[in-house]
Amino acid sequence: MDKAPLDWPNLEFGYRKTDKNIRFTWKDGVWDKGVLTEDETIPLHMAATCLHYGQECFEGLKVFETKSGDAVVFRIDENAKRFVHSCEKILMEPVSEVTFIDAVFRVVKANRRFVPPHGTGASLYIRPLMLGTGPQVGVKPAGEYMFMVFVTPVGPYFKTGFKPVDLIVEEKVDRAAPLGVGDVKVGGNYAAGLRASMAARAKGYTEVLYLDAKHKRYIDESGPANFYGITKDNQYVTPDSESILPSITNKSIVTLAEEIGLRPQRREVDIEEIFEFKEAGCCGTAAVITPVGSITFRDRKVVYSKDGNAGKYSTELYEKLTAIQVGDAPDDYDWVRRIPEQ
Ligand code: PLP
Ligand code: COI
């Protein structure tokens, strides 16, 4: 099949119209079988709970093309599990993990010409989402839900790609609270962070680094990604916090870090430790591994990258991870699934 006529190596991380998306409806206590459609809009009741009370969650995962032309998806079973957990936490009716995976496979097949060619650095970003569509005015779960999946071909999340970014620690805004919903992928978490993110950008920083809301002392995560630091004695340190999203990319990097002689440690990370790290980075599906060039905390700034390039360990981890994702390296941990053609 001919590929879509796109400038693959220069794609931005953004929405682009593709051929089809898929939607499922939960009504009268059952999920339907789902339909593929070209429609980019959704009919929505004005009293739908997603609009008023934030009954909405989503996922993000990526599909790549291997050298031999297969479309493969990275750790989809983990995204399926996390999606179910997000739905349950805000009392929505989850789809089964099997339905989640089947929906992604169907929509990728219907948009096969948008899977970027191998070697372009681009990928097909998959965005599953669930909405409370049933009307309520009292604060209650909806009686109807919509699960949908759309796709869009993307390049790197941060415009600079695999180049160090500058973070600023935000103390005046909390993204999430310890017993709140920071550990699930609900839209409200991102709305809560928007003002901090935009303010950081206006000051010339790439993104925000949040501290934990309770002590204002330990690192939580960045707006769209988890955080890690590499210590001088080669520990891969990443925050253990109940208000951050458990990143599938981070979990994968923890495994790969051991392979390159780093000792992974998931624990509370005091903000003062940033001044001792030799490298730092952000990680996530969209962000992949994005090296951190500097962090500004109050009136102090620590610089990790003096030459504008990523450090040795971040580079090695990035190369290992992306090689597995695109099928260039053996899939020793069974992370990659081929999407069947039929
Ligand atoms: N943290 C937040 C707030 C995110 O939105 C994401 C993106 O999904 C991540 C972390 C990284 O998670 P994952 O690696 O599973 O994409
Ligand atoms: C992802 O990495 O998939 C995300 O959902 C992060 C988002 C802010 C783009």
Side-chain angles (χ1 to χ4, degrees), residues 73-270:
V73 62
F74 187 69
R75 304 201 78 169
I76 188 169
D77 46 331
E78 293 284 338
N79 292 93
K81 268 190 224 139
R82 192 170 66 188
F83 190 68
V84 170
H85 181 53
S86 295
C87 292
E88 286 172 342
K89 190 144 184 186
I90 55 168
L91 303 188
M92 299 201 290
E93 187 64 33
V95 286
S96 69
E97 290 171 31
V98 170
T99 300
F100 180 97
I101 293 169
D102 177 57
V104 171
F105 283 10
R106 281 164 73 188
V107 79
V108 172
K109 268 186 264 176
N111 291 288
R112 193 61 184 78
R113 69 194 187 100
F114 288 96
V115 178
H118 183 81
T120 55
S123 58
L124 187 69
Y125 185 70
I126 316 292
R127 178 50 67 85
L129 65 151
M130 169 91 68
L131 303 174
T133 49
Q136 295 287 11
V137 178
V139 181
K140 286 188 273 234
E144 287 174 24
Y145 292 91
M146 178 184 277
F147 165 57
M148 54 190 300
V149 186
F150 71 80
V151 301
T152 180
V154 296
Y157 185 74
F158 295 113
K159 272 199 224 76
T160 45
F162 188 64
K163 285 280 177 206
V165 296
D166 298 308
L167 302 182
I168 181 165
V169 177
E170 177 51 73
E171 292 181 277
K172 298 236 169 65
V173 176
D174 291 328
R175 176 191 164 272
L179 298 176
V181 289
D183 64 328
V184 289
K185 215 161 161 57
V186 299
N189 290 335
Y190 299 80
L194 271 180
R195 67 197 192 285
S197 208
M198 291 303 134
R201 276 178 228 181
K203 285 186 257 173
Y205 299 98
T206 321
E207 254 302 344
V208 167
L209 186 61
Y210 291 103
L211 296 183
D212 78 286
K214 191 168 172 185
H215 309 95
K216 288 286 187 189
R217 172 171 172 192
Y218 302 108
I219 299 175
D220 253 359
E221 63 178 332
S222 177
N226 274 188
F227 175 84
Y228 68 81
I230 313 276
T231 63
K232 297 205 170 85
D233 64 346
N234 293 343
Q235 292 173 31
Y236 174 93
V237 177
T238 194
D240 186 15
S241 161
E242 44 188 338
S243 50
I244 66 174
L245 192 74
S247 157
I248 297 159
T249 314
N250 199 4
K251 185 172 166 182
S252 312
I253 299 171
V254 162
T255 303
L256 299 176
E258 281 187 308
E259 283 189 9
I260 62 168
L262 294 171
R263 281 169 292 128
Q265 279 211 354
R266 210 182 269 280
R267 58 164 171 80
E268 284 178 333
V269 183
D270 194 299

